[in-house]
Amino acid sequence: MAIPTSRAQAKEMDRQDPLRMLRDQFDLDDSLIYLDGNSLGAPTKAALSRLRQTAEIEWKRDLIKSWNTAGWIDLPKSCGRKIASVIGVDADDVLICDSVSTNIFKLAGALWSKAPGAIAYCRGEFPTDGYILQGLSRLTGASLDTLADGGPDVINGNVNVIIKSVVDYKSAAVTDISAWEQMASAHGVAIIWDLSHAAGLLDLQLKETGAKYAVGCGYKFLNGGPGAPAYIYADKAAAEQLSQPLSGWMGHAKPFDFADDYAPAEGVDRFACGTPPILSLSVLDAALDVFEGVSMSAVEAKAAGLGDLLLARCAQLGLESIAPGIGEKRGGHISVRHPNGYEIVQALIAKGIIGDFRPPDLMRFGFSPLYIRHTDIWNAADMLEEILTSETWRNPEFAERKAVV
Amino acid sequence: MAIPTSRAQAKEMDRQDPLRMLRDQFDLDDSLIYLDGNSLGAPTKAALSRLRQTAEIEWKRDLIKSWNTAGWIDLPKSCGRKIASVIGVDADDVLICDSVSTNIFKLAGALWSKAPGAIAYCRGEFPTDGYILQGLSRLTGASLDTLADGGPDVINGNVNVIIKSVVDYKSAAVTDISAWEQMASAHGVAIIWDLSHAAGLLDLQLKETGAKYAVGCGYKFLNGGPGAPAYIYADKAAAEQLSQPLSGWMGHAKPFDFADDYAPAEGVDRFACGTPPILSLSVLDAALDVFEGVSMSAVEAKAAGLGDLLLARCAQLGLESIAPGIGEKRGGHISVRHPNGYEIVQALIAKGIIGDFRPPDLMRFGFSPLYIRHTDIWNAADMLEEILTSETWRNPEFAERKAVV
């Protein structure tokens, strides 16, 4: 697709966008350009409405009965089915539970127990993935390794379990899952895929790639709300072979028998642990309905176009990008370097353009294809140009450092 | 306090109840008698209002900025301070995170790593406590033991780490924390206390007992909403010696440095793992405000009186109780036996009296002293009497089995 070179062209692309009606399902303030959906997705109207229902009717009016009557007890599974459809795996192989960090521990622990070799992560990927393997290694004595940068040929027979991001949280580089799985299979290695920055954005078709294990968060491109529960995918036959270390009561075959001895539930269901946070889970469940009937290949194509446009504009501004270039496969964000990136991001936020900053010098702009338009990218780039030219980012209040998730 | 022997006397006790104004803070349907607050607490008006604020203003309007501007990033700690006050420990020694099951794994794993001896649980206590130690043992090879029934003299030098409930989920028997801690200290044993059925009900004064580690859930007597996040207590000096196995990024000393290597945060803060479910956490935070300025000894005393009344009425109906008797220390629920307990509980629910059932034959009735009145107990007992006398529980629709949390 051609990259728009004027606001008029950007507007025309929005008019022709097959996904253009989806934005209406979101409850977004039109005075904002929200380029941080890769960090925290925006709410759909349906999600906010469902939250009111869960709080005011299910909890307040029906109280404990709602575990049955409102289907709370089934939510980890019924909501998991919606994610299964988005990432392209069998419906019953996804379960909503806990956080990404906790789910990595469960899968890595289970896989290491089955084949106690070395466990490995990639330095420079999202830190929690490595931190969790470091913790697992401290607890169990598992040998810990790091993978060299590069393609699937960095896999060798020295490791048994790998955690790997599909989309890098800084560069937006995309890993070729099929190629890695092929190499992993040849070396008897299990890969846990971190889909956090990929699910809801790329047309993953995960089952076809041969991937057997994955985790991901619900609050980025899946729009499940701040800190939404995470999910875990495990191929059924593979899961049946695994002993899950965080064997809490919700992963028991018959939790309401209150038996003294743990017995795992079927397949991925054994990865449940404690009682799930229903208010947050209910919102995620409703948020996922926006994907119903949506072609993930159309979503990926639109994201590619939005990214190409932003890259072209940033190049004109002389900003060096660390993202895959125009026409290349990438995630739903672009990171560009500037020594004063932090201040520039704050200056943009003050103008209603919300991006974020990642140390040491990366300005990161995300574009959720469900609600971001080509004109949004165009207007944001105009403002970025104005801030750089006028140097309004030099205002000292923009230098004050705050934590940003 | 004398046990009321008529509805008029029950009403008079409600009039004299020093906590009687607290019920107004809850949003409870007056046509119900809710005797399941020990399983899922009722919502306060403030909690429901806070949820609307968090969803409609903080998420919808302010989006990612709310991690800073709405204090989301501090919630695990600021909300933890409120629980610290309810259970009687130092303000900074409690953190909200994950589920009870996950938190037991973290503490037990950390304590076992430090002193790799046997880990032990009590059969018959809430199953997840044992399931988690079983999982930890499978993962690490830790020697797993069970404790005999009885007092603190069941502790011996053969175990290093124990998980123990303060209030038993079936019988409501209360463990003498100080006595156990004294024995544990003599044998070099660490006890993880499960406060789930005790916090928000008993005047725990946990620090004074010598307890150093505890976990508990937010959704019972703390009224934090369905599946509310759990909490973890670790004495600061003790926590500083511990290496937490679920070392996710939120427990890092500087999570927003995105460093490759894990370094633990101070004290109990190292027990954080992944990104917390903010909607659920925000509700718990607001729900805890009902405890501000409330004497926990008054709460415990009222619960004792409500339980004595229910026990007296059940005894008149010939129902055998497994709870500590009248005048004895106990938790906030009474379990009584009946071979058709399941059907009777369903018949009560059909009449707007909500209790629950625990296999094989226990009808369990809870009484949250913040919103249950002596007249509620009186009226519930009248209805139980009517159902038993008229045998209306024999309706076949009451026999249909459903999962009940």
Side-chain angles (χ1 to χ4, degrees), chain B residues 162-343:
Chain B
I162 292 171
I163 172 83
K164 177 84 190 148
S165 287
V166 173
V167 172
D168 187 81
Y169 83 111
K170 285 182 176 173
S171 73
V174 179
T175 301
D176 181 341
I177 305 177
S178 296
W180 279 69
E181 281 293 340
Q182 226 167 343
M183 188 68 84
S185 172
H187 287 87
V189 172
I191 307 180
I192 302 163
W193 293 101
D194 185 340
L195 308 179
S196 295
H197 287 268
L201 182 91
L202 299 182
D203 187 19
L204 290 167
Q205 300 297 346
L206 202 62
K207 190 183 180 182
E208 282 181 20
T209 66
K212 290 200 161 47
Y213 315 102
V215 298
C217 79
Y219 51 80
K220 296 178 184 289
F221 295 111
L222 299 178
N223 310 304
Y231 56 90
I232 202 163
Y233 155 65
D235 168 81
K236 178 151 189 194
E240 293 287 348
Q241 305 302 315
L242 296 179
S243 171
Q244 206 264 91
L246 284 167
S247 48
W249 74 307
M250 284 291 173
H252 193 281
K254 294 182 174 176
F256 297 100
D257 279 3
F258 300 94
D260 278 322
D261 293 308
Y262 178 76
E266 280 194 359
V268 76
D269 298 6
R270 70 190 58 196
F271 284 92
C273 183
T275 308
I278 293 298
L279 296 168
S280 289
L281 176 49
S282 181
V283 166
L284 171 63
D285 186 62
L288 290 166
D289 288 341
V290 74
F291 287 97
E292 209 185 319
V294 169
S295 146
M296 287 310 299
S297 85
V299 174
E300 180 174 325
K302 182 175 172 191
L306 293 169
D308 284 351
L309 171 57
L310 183 57
L311 274 180
R313 292 291 312 264
C314 285
Q316 286 166 350
L317 298 173
L319 291 167
E320 181 202 349
S321 155
I322 65 163
I326 288 171
E328 292 179 55
K329 194 173 173 85
R330 81 176 86 75
H333 62 275
I334 299 286
S335 296
V336 293
R337 290 191 192 284
H338 193 290
N340 299 97
Y342 185 87
E343 292 85 343

Side-chain angles (χ1 to χ4, degrees), chain A residues 165-185:
Chain A
S165 287
V166 172
V167 172
D168 187 80
Y169 82 112
K170 285 182 177 172
S171 72
V174 179
T175 300
D176 182 341
I177 306 176
S178 296
W180 280 69
E181 281 294 340
Q182 226 167 342
M183 189 67 85
S185 172

Side-chain angles (χ1 to χ4, degrees), chain B residues 48-66:
Chain B
L48 293 171
S49 158
R50 171 75 166 273
L51 181 58
R52 288 189 291 270
Q53 164 83 13
T54 303
E56 309 273 345
I57 306 296
E58 298 170 12
W59 181 20
K60 183 180 117 179
R61 190 191 70 187
D62 297 339
L63 292 154
I64 190 75
K65 290 185 283 185
S66 289

